[in-house]
Amino acid sequence: MDFLFVLIVGLLVTSGAYLMMSGHLVRFLYGLALFSNAANLAIFVSGGLSYGAPALIAEGEKAPLEPVANALPQALVLTAIVIGFGLTVFALALAKRAFASEGTALMDDMRSAEPRAED
């Protein structure tokens, strides 16, 4: 089952890289979202899929009596989701501003910071 998740992560990373190199702002944002989802899935799978009970300790005990699920990958994925959302919103705002100032969403057609000879 883990091998299937590894293949899915590889597919997401490959698709995200392809979209990010296309030279279009909207495709770049989709590729960034795919990268973020691939990272979340990789973190979650690296923690192992376990079907343990919640990590609760009975009163008077020093450790759980039965196997428990690891909560660290879930906390890391939750943090990564929030950071990925913030990064996506920031990139979307930059893309909107770039489109408004340049009038195009194609990165090759955007002006560079240096003046061109034909300007």
Side-chain angles (χ1 to χ4, degrees):
M1 188 70 171
D2 287 342
F3 184 70
L4 177 66
F5 285 122
V6 170
L7 286 177
I8 292 172
V9 168
L11 180 69
L12 288 172
V13 168
T14 305
S15 302
Y18 176 76
L19 288 172
M20 290 177 83
M21 291 188 289
S22 70
H24 196 276
L25 281 175
V26 176
R27 290 186 194 133
F28 182 86
L29 292 175
Y30 286 141
L32 188 66
L34 285 177
F35 260 42
S36 176
N37 288 330
N40 293 342
L41 186 59
I43 291 170
F44 192 69
V45 171
S46 70
L49 298 174
S50 61
Y51 299 102
L56 300 175
I57 300 173
E59 189 174 335
E61 299 292 328
K62 294 188 180 199
L65 300 175
E66 55 198 38
V68 295
N70 188 3
L72 182 63
Q74 297 171 16
L76 289 175
V77 167
L78 183 60
T79 304
I81 288 170
V82 172
I83 292 171
F85 179 72
L87 179 66
T88 302
V89 169
F90 181 68
L92 183 62
L94 287 178
K96 182 177 183 259
R97 176 70 177 128
F99 180 75
S101 66
E102 298 295 328
T104 183
L106 297 173
M107 292 185 226
D108 290 339
D109 294 341
M110 292 183 178
R111 292 181 290 174
S112 65
E114 303 168 1
R116 295 183 191 171
E118 64 267 6
D119 285 342

